[in-house]
């Protein structure tokens, strides 16, 4: 099979590429390296057994000709290319909306033209300010005010969902929609806000851990390999098109507890520093206080079950960040 992965040099995309290469498939990656990195896929490219089956295009998904050729060539498409990370979105508001809305429309248009099955990655952000748990695919969507620009990301991802559903209805496009909850693991950078790589780096450097707000906000974290298993199983499922699926873990933890677990796991001398939101982010930021998925639907459909617990996830991230630091002793990794 030929698999196209947009955003394939990114954190999740590169793990997905690895999975399909290991299975014997050909993988085509398109990535503009805005948040992805060649270092994520270089080891795959050099791999003696499957490196020759990986084809990398450094380009934007907005480039019609490149996307036309790649979509025509491949059998299935995973669309992961997007502006990601709260810090990135707030710094690049227009670019983020453009890539997340026009970019996704381009991918869907071409998949419809060539009749290729496509899986798009939306986000748990679309659940907005809900405080209840668990969040179910059929819940109403409630964002905050438009003065809080964080919600532009959620709005753009929701637009992607509706565009995919519209193609499904009007063209019969086999589009599968996933809402990814916080995904973590090796290769994730803390540069754009992601809490676990950030706090792990701080702990390894024995610097104070920056916990925003009062630290009582919660998240659930899922290991990237578990998420990738869910994505590939959905792609292989003949009964998933035109539907939305949460993908995430169910072990809820406050960010304060997370920081303590990280200090323990790294045997760090760091302390925890509570930083008010207005000092941590631009003032047009608003946090989500709670975010726990219901994974009933995807469990019922494909038997999805995350198997990696938080301690194991933390160990993997710590090992990865340690290796990175040893390789680049003078460089800040977050
Ligand atoms: N966070 C934090 N310190 C950091 C980075 C993030 O306390 O250095 C918090 C952030 O405010 C949020 C949670 O950790 O409540 C998860 O943030 P992240 O950006 O990883 O993901 P998202 O907000 O998209 O869930």
């Amino acid at each position: 099979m030929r698999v196209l992965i947009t955003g394939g040099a990114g954190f999740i995309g590169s793990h997905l590429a690895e999975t399909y290469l290991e299975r014997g498939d050909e993988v085509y990656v398109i990535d503009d390296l805005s948040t992805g990195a060649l270092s994520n896929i270089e080891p795959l490219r050099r791999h003696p057994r499957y490196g020759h089956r990986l084809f990398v295009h450094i380009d934007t998904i907005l480039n019609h000709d490149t996307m036309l050729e790649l979509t025509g060539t491949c059998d299935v498409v995973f669309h992961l290319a997007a502006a990601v990370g709260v810090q990135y979105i707030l710094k690049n508001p227009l670019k983020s909306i453009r890539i997340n809305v026009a970019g996704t429309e381009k991918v869907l248009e071409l998949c419809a033209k060539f009749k290729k099955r496509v899986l798009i990655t939306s986000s748990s952000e679309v659940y907005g300010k809900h405080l209840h748990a668990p969040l179910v695919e059929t819940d109403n969507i409630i964002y905050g005010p438009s003065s809080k620009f964080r919600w532009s990301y959620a709005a753009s991802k929701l637009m992607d969902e509706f565009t995919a559903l519209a193609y499904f209805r009007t063209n019969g496009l086999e589009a599968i929609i996933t809402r990814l909850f916080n995904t973590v693991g090796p290769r994730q950078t803390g540069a754009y806000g992601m809490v676990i790589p950030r706090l792990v780096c701080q702990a390894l450097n024995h610097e104070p851990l920056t916990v925003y707000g009062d630290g009582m906000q919660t998240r659930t974290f899922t290991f990237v390999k578990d998420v990738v298993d869910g994505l590939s199983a959905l792609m292989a499922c003949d009964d998933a098109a035109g539907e939305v699926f949460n993908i995430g873990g169910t072990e809820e933890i406050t960010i304060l507890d997370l920081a303590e677990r990280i200090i323990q796991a790294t045997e760090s001398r760091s302390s925890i520093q509570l930083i008010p939101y207005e000092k941590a982010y631009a003032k047009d930021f608003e946090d989500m206080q709670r975010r726990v998925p219901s994974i009933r639907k995807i469990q019922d459909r494909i038997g999805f079950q995350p198997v990696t617990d938080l301690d194991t996830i933390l160990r993997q991230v710590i090992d990865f960040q340690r290796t990175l630091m040893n390789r680049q002793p003078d460089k800040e990794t977050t």
Side-chain angles (χ1 to χ4, degrees):
M1 187 162 76
R2 289 184 173 155
V3 182
L4 172 59
I5 304 175
T6 73
F11 157 55
I12 303 176
S14 64
H15 285 280
L16 191 61
E18 194 170 358
T19 295
Y20 279 98
L21 288 167
E22 274 169 2
R23 287 184 199 178
D25 296 309
E26 277 184 11
V27 173
Y28 292 72
V29 159
I30 178 166
D31 201 304
D32 67 358
L33 302 184
S34 53
T35 56
L38 274 182
S39 58
N40 286 337
I41 46 170
E42 264 318 311
L44 308 182
R45 246 207 304 214
R46 286 200 305 268
H47 197 281
R49 196 158 40 82
Y50 53 64
H52 62 286
R53 283 189 271 108
L54 173 62
F55 305 92
V56 180
H57 298 255
I58 306 304
D59 205 343
T60 166
I61 52 169
L62 292 167
N63 185 333
H64 179 82
D65 292 343
T66 311
M67 281 305 294
L68 185 78
E69 192 191 322
L70 287 172
T71 314
T73 304
C74 292
D75 302 304
V76 295
V77 179
F78 286 94
H79 175 43
L80 277 72
V84 289
V86 177
Q87 302 285 11
Y88 186 90
I89 310 290
L90 294 178
K91 265 193 211 129
N92 304 282
L94 188 56
K95 196 173 162 195
S96 301
I97 291 175
R98 193 169 286 149
I99 202 75
N100 289 1
V101 178
T104 301
E105 157 93 78
K106 170 66 59 199
V107 171
L108 292 169
E109 174 203 332
L110 292 172
C111 288
K113 176 181 166 72
F114 290 110
K115 301 202 180 320
K116 301 291 164 81
R117 183 178 292 186
V118 57
L119 181 149
I120 71 162
T121 43
S122 178
S123 165
S124 57
E125 289 269 326
V126 302
Y127 288 109
K129 294 177 83 167
H130 276 295
L131 286 175
H132 73 269
L135 297 161
V136 183
E137 289 88 342
T138 48
D139 275 338
N140 290 329
I141 304 293
I142 314 163
Y143 299 144
S146 50
S147 58
K148 303 286 183 188
F149 219 77
R150 181 214 182 107
W151 302 117
S152 68
Y153 176 76
S156 69
K157 284 290 180 179
L158 192 63
M159 191 65 206
D160 290 348
E161 294 191 8
F162 276 121
T163 310
L165 290 171
Y167 272 103
F168 173 74
R169 285 182 177 211
T170 52
N171 299 56
L173 173 68
E174 288 188 49
I176 302 160
I177 297 154
T178 55
R179 289 182 180 161
L180 302 189
F181 284 65
N182 296 63
T183 304
V184 285
R187 299 185 200 148
Q188 185 176 41
T189 166
Y192 310 110
M194 282 68 167
V195 66
I196 288 190
R198 281 179 82 86
L199 299 191
V200 165
C201 282
Q202 291 163 349
L204 290 174
N205 287 321
H206 304 284
E207 293 163 359
L209 268 60
T210 55
V211 170
Y212 302 155
D214 61 6
M216 297 316 286
Q217 68 273 33
T218 68
R219 294 292 186 272
T220 62
F221 295 95
T222 318
F223 192 51
V224 63
K225 291 282 183 198
D226 291 330
V227 170
V228 160
D229 285 348
L231 295 175
S232 59
L234 274 179
M235 181 61 95
C237 174
D238 281 330
D239 181 25
E243 291 194 54
V244 178
F245 297 89
N246 287 339
I247 301 189
T250 49
E251 192 185 334
E252 185 176 14
I253 185 167
T254 67
I255 300 302
L256 197 56
D257 285 346
L258 175 72
E260 277 160 11
R261 291 265 280 272
I262 290 173
I263 289 176
Q264 268 173 20
T266 49
E267 297 178 354
S268 171
R269 296 189 301 277
S270 296
S271 58
I272 292 176
Q273 189 183 4
L274 294 182
I275 300 180
Y277 282 121
E278 56 276 17
K279 294 209 171 130
Y281 298 99
K283 65 177 181 324
D284 51 3
F285 176 78
E286 194 167 45
D287 204 1
M288 289 177 76
Q289 289 304 313
R290 195 171 185 204
R291 196 196 269 167
V292 183
S294 159
I295 52 170
R296 185 99 178 252
K297 183 173 177 184
I298 188 168
Q299 268 171 338
D300 288 350
R301 197 66 57 92
I302 57 160
F304 173 78
Q305 185 62 52
V307 291
T308 317
D309 64 19
L310 187 58
D311 287 330
T312 313
I313 295 175
L314 290 181
R315 264 201 311 277
Q316 294 262 353
V317 175
I318 291 164
D319 287 351
F320 174 77
Q321 293 294 348
R322 268 207 183 107
T323 314
L324 215 59
M325 280 179 182
N326 291 340
R327 230 184 283 151
Q328 305 168 302
D330 301 329
K331 283 195 187 152
E332 182 60 60
T333 48
T334 57

